[in-house]
Amino acid sequence: MEQPSLNDHNKQEYPPMHTTEHVINRTMVNLFGCGRAISAHIERKKSKLDFALQTCPEETDITRIENTVNEVLRRNLPVTMEFISQEEAIGRFDMKRLPEKASETVRIVKVGDYDECLCIGQHVKNNNRRLLTDRLKDMYGKELSDRYLELLNHHFIYKNDETNLANYCASITMYPWLNNGTIAVGGNSTAPTNLKSFCGGFVNMVFIVSSMLSGACATPEFLMYMNYFIGLEYGQEYYKYPDKIVDLSTKQRTIDKIITDCFEQIVYSINQPTGARNFQAVFWNVAYYDKYYFESLFGNFFFPDGSQPDWNSLSWLQKRFMKWFNKERTRTVLTFPVETMALLTKDGDVLDKEYGDFTAEMYSEGHSFFTYMSDNADSLSSCCRLRNEIQDNGFSYTLGAGGVSTGSKSVLTINLNRCIQHAVKSGILYPFFLEEVVDLVHKVQLAYNENLKLLQSKGMLPLFDAGYINMNRQYLTIGVNGLVEAAQFMGIEINDNPKYEAFVQEILGMIERYNRKYRTKDVLFNCEMIPAENVGVKHAKWDKEAGFQTFRECYNSYFYIVEDKSLNIVDKFRLH
């Protein structure tokens, strides 16, 4: 399409700041009914806008302006353009702002559905990408920043949830909510005081927190806190008398019925679509622990009243919820919560025999959940097939459900199939090319981390400030996709054989080396075989269009070929 002819533009704006100017202008118009800025001085590090107001804004007004602008920027709305004639613009825009020799064709710049105005200046198309590439230039130079864009645009790498300024996903601590309610994260509810307010408040809290995340929200303390409030109302040994009638209404409900009604309220509410997540349900995760795993993570935990969690009643509640949820899913489709059973092991067997048997019992009844078995409680695996090694007991895997106040800040995925095929076709030893890519994605993640710290300093990350998540316990995740397809291209059989094992160890071992290289006391890295429900299809499509072998329409997110019917369940376990 031919570009319309516009008048000359004699300014060289800094696009991110100039785009932000549009957002501020619209915010002022909306909040104060004034016109757009009467003068503007927009620079990279310092800018000034003048508005004609009847009275000087008060502190509360300034806070409202800042919060509104930050919220709009956090949405990362697309910046688009439209060309119309001056005649068409009359009545829609303030024509007095046009320069004297403006062209007959004018350009409208739109920031999503939030603002539109006539403008000829420079803007960003993707604010997040521009912020990241600018940071890369500052930290590593223009050459690396350009190389990042080249690899990104040619689909060697993929920035997950690039359009969202929010943290990727997190396993939160609910302690700030237990003390202060949701006020610190933009809500208006106070701290829960009884079982009823816990259930309603928990649902509200999860929705608020999830609106600030682009991925999963895990609440590993959910059942422990619920158990606490049940105990406050019915006594710590309530589990010994589940059939006791405690409801004086005509329903005459038992303790067990009241508890399962709470389960129903919470689970069905959270499974409802929400506008804050594009009308999808919240991605909610929970965890169950055996006695040893629980004591390792929560042995020194105290509630605000000074009491500690009671294991016997919590164990009963865990089992009751798991049984109830398994049965409830036979009645209707309930996607969430995603469940993980964490079992501590020794010498190849579980330490807690009771929970080992219960886990097997639940599988035998057809329940679907993840089980993580480890000789220590310093690492957990996930439905994202993540593997980490850390030094404390607070780790949670990327999709959450193990430790507390942690998760993943950002995921940057390597398309292994394209990388390896490109290297081979170009006459390059693929480990050399792949090493360049792996080194680059670590630097990109470090740049992202610096931007995240800047956002926090500006008050744009309330989950961190309120204490739900700890910045230093969040991971920068290096995702991998197309591993199986890359091995197939290299002529390697995808089963339990030494050649395939060596190939996988070479690839993942390289990423692990760089994870250790760039890790500091403040920055943690992990490697994840991403689920790839979306990007797995994109990678296959893009690679096929570029002439690479793809083998299937969606790249695997497992270490085996999903459609290979020759593999039994034991083979699949061995490959993982």
Side-chain angles (χ1 to χ4, degrees):
M1 178 179 177
E2 185 178 349
Q3 183 78 3
S5 177
L6 302 175
N7 52 283
D8 293 333
H9 183 54
N10 57 6
K11 287 185 180 180
Q12 185 67 34
E13 299 95 347
Y14 180 55
M17 291 297 289
H18 186 57
T19 306
T20 304
E21 177 193 353
H22 284 238
V23 175
I24 295 173
N25 268 306
R26 175 52 56 188
T27 300
M28 295 299 291
V29 171
N30 290 349
L31 295 182
F32 299 98
C34 61
R36 300 177 83 90
I38 58 176
S39 68
H41 182 74
I42 306 299
E43 299 292 343
R44 177 168 182 160
K45 293 185 178 180
K46 187 177 181 180
S47 299
K48 178 175 74 71
L49 293 171
D50 295 319
F51 292 90
L53 301 175
Q54 292 184 348
T55 59
C56 182
E58 298 179 358
E59 284 297 322
T60 54
D61 295 322
I62 294 172
T63 299
R64 191 156 57 118
I65 294 167
E66 183 179 6
N67 290 343
T68 303
V69 170
N70 284 341
E71 177 58 32
V72 174
L73 293 177
R74 193 181 292 122
R75 290 163 61 191
N76 197 37
L77 298 169
V79 179
T80 58
M81 298 169 193
E82 177 187 346
F83 296 93
I84 61 174
S85 67
Q86 284 200 34
E87 184 178 354
E88 291 173 304
I90 295 174
R92 185 175 170 187
F93 300 101
D94 183 359
M95 304 300 287
K96 296 192 296 292
R97 289 178 172 267
L98 286 180
E100 191 175 324
K101 296 182 179 180
S103 57
E104 176 57 30
T105 299
V106 293
R107 186 179 73 173
I108 305 171
V109 173
K110 300 179 179 181
V111 182
D113 58 357
Y114 189 72
D115 180 63
E116 64 173 20
C117 72
L118 299 179
C119 185
I120 199 173
Q122 297 185 49
H123 305 81
V124 298
K125 292 182 179 179
N126 185 318
N127 196 45
N128 288 355
R129 183 176 294 186
R130 182 59 186 258
L131 290 171
L132 184 55
T133 54
D134 284 349
R135 179 69 67 176
L136 280 170
K137 290 175 188 176
D138 291 341
M139 293 176 65
Y140 302 108
K142 185 176 185 299
E143 184 178 347
L144 188 133
S145 178
D146 291 344
R147 181 60 169 159
Y148 166 65
L149 288 176
E150 180 185 6
L151 292 174
L152 189 68
N153 291 329
H154 289 88
H155 311 304
F156 289 95
I157 57 179
Y158 180 86
K159 181 68 185 77
N160 300 66
D161 290 283
E162 184 182 32
T163 60
N164 201 320
L165 276 172
N167 203 65
Y168 185 68
C169 51
S171 175
I172 65 168
T173 174
M174 293 160 51
Y175 211 82
W177 171 66
L178 191 63
N179 272 319
N180 305 307
T182 59
I183 295 172
V185 288
N188 56 15
S189 62
T190 57
T193 57
N194 53 59
L195 182 59
K196 187 174 182 179
S197 65
F198 167 82
C199 294
F202 176 78
V203 172
N204 291 336
M205 184 271 295
V206 169
F207 275 120
I208 291 173
V209 169
S210 295
S211 72
M212 301 178 190
L213 300 172
S214 57
C217 172
T219 56
E221 301 159 326
F222 161 59
L223 289 172
M224 182 174 76
Y225 283 26
M226 185 176 183
N227 184 62
Y228 168 75
F229 283 104
I230 296 172
L232 287 181
E233 296 202 19
Y234 303 110
Q236 200 170 76
E237 295 187 335
Y238 72 87
Y239 66 97
K240 294 182 178 179
Y241 315 101
D243 296 325
K244 181 180 178 181
I245 296 175
V246 292
D247 183 1
L248 297 181
S249 73
T250 57
K251 292 185 178 181
Q252 295 285 288
R253 293 183 300 170
T254 63
I255 288 177
D256 185 73
K257 177 58 176 169
I258 286 176
I259 289 172
T260 56
D261 282 352
C262 290
F263 292 162
E264 183 177 309
Q265 175 188 351
I266 291 171
V267 170
Y268 277 87
S269 296
I270 292 180
N271 272 275
Q272 295 302 308
T274 169
R277 294 177 66 88
N278 296 319
F279 293 96
Q280 296 180 341
V282 169
F283 199 127
W284 175 42
N285 292 10
V286 298
Y288 312 109
Y289 307 97
D290 70 11
K291 182 177 181 179
Y292 301 100
Y293 223 120
F294 177 81
E295 289 177 348
S296 178
L297 287 178
F298 300 106
N300 296 316
F301 181 94
F302 287 86
F303 289 105
D305 62 3
S307 65
Q308 287 192 277
D310 177 67
W311 167 250
N312 291 325
S313 56
L314 174 60
S315 175
W316 181 91
L317 189 65
Q318 287 188 151
K319 294 177 181 179
R320 187 68 186 95
F321 181 82
M322 209 171 185
K323 289 274 189 179
W324 173 86
F325 189 50
N326 187 37
K327 185 176 181 180
E328 199 68 18
R329 292 203 301 189
T330 65
R331 298 191 176 105
T332 187
V333 176
L334 291 170
T335 308
F336 301 108
V338 173
E339 307 158 275
T340 297
M341 175 69 76
L343 303 173
L344 211 58
T345 60
K346 184 178 181 180
D347 299 328
D349 197 6
V350 294
L351 283 172
D352 191 328
K353 305 301 183 184
E354 178 187 345
Y355 262 82
D357 291 342
F358 178 70
T359 301
E361 177 186 335
M362 292 309 301
Y363 277 126
S364 71
E365 292 179 4
H367 198 21
S368 176
F369 58 97
F370 293 96
T371 298
Y372 184 71
M373 303 170 69
S374 175
D375 288 342
N376 56 69
D378 69 357
S379 63
L380 279 177
S381 180
S382 79
C383 43
C384 266
R385 292 152 295 281
L386 174 69
R387 181 67 178 95
N388 284 276
E389 295 178 354
I390 63 174
Q391 302 302 315
D392 60 53
N393 288 351
F395 173 67
S396 169
Y397 39 80
T398 302
L399 286 190
V404 181
S405 191
T406 182
S408 178
K409 306 174 197 179
S410 167
V411 179
L412 186 55
T413 297
I414 301 171
N415 181 354
L416 293 172
N417 191 36
R418 178 171 288 220
C419 287
I420 289 176
Q421 288 196 42
H422 168 78
V424 172
K425 291 180 178 181
S426 302
I428 307 170
L429 291 174
Y430 74 78
F432 289 110
F433 180 76
L434 194 57
E435 194 150 9
E436 179 215 343
V437 175
V438 171
D439 184 63
L440 180 139
V441 297
H442 279 82
K443 290 175 178 174
V444 173
Q445 290 287 57
L446 288 173
Y448 181 93
N449 193 61
E450 291 303 308
N451 279 347
L452 207 61
K453 289 194 289 186
L454 176 64
L455 293 176
Q456 185 181 16
S457 72
K458 302 297 182 182
M460 294 179 70
L461 300 175
L463 288 181
F464 290 99
D465 296 335
Y468 286 79
I469 315 172
N470 185 323
M471 173 77 81
N472 293 336
R473 293 173 69 182
Q474 288 271 295
Y475 284 80
L476 295 168
T477 299
I478 309 301
V480 293
N481 187 226
L483 176 67
V484 165
E485 290 74 19
Q488 286 182 282
F489 169 77
M490 297 298 294
I492 300 172
E493 291 186 28
I494 312 301
N495 52 42
D496 188 10
N497 68 79
K499 193 172 182 180
Y500 182 49
E501 181 181 353
F503 176 79
V504 172
Q505 287 180 345
E506 178 184 32
I507 303 298
L508 300 186
M510 179 189 298
I511 296 173
E512 176 61 21
R513 288 198 306 274
Y514 276 87
N515 283 352
R516 293 178 181 276
K517 175 182 176 180
Y518 284 104
R519 175 177 175 166
T520 67
K521 64 182 180 67
D522 298 320
V523 180
L524 301 174
F525 283 93
N526 61 29
C527 177
E528 173 189 331
M529 179 79 87
I530 65 166
E533 298 96 336
N534 183 15
V535 72
V537 175
K538 289 180 177 178
H539 278 161
K541 176 179 177 291
W542 291 330
D543 288 355
K544 186 176 182 179
E545 291 172 351
F548 295 103
Q549 290 181 256
T550 57
F551 303 97
R552 54 193 53 84
E553 297 300 315
C554 177
Y555 285 175
N556 268 304
S557 53
Y558 298 91
F559 289 100
Y560 56 87
I561 298 174
V562 176
E563 65 270 22
D564 185 356
K565 295 182 180 180
S566 69
L567 299 175
N568 58 40
I569 190 66
V570 176
D571 295 328
K572 294 175 182 179
F573 273 119
R574 291 175 65 185
L575 284 167
H576 274 261

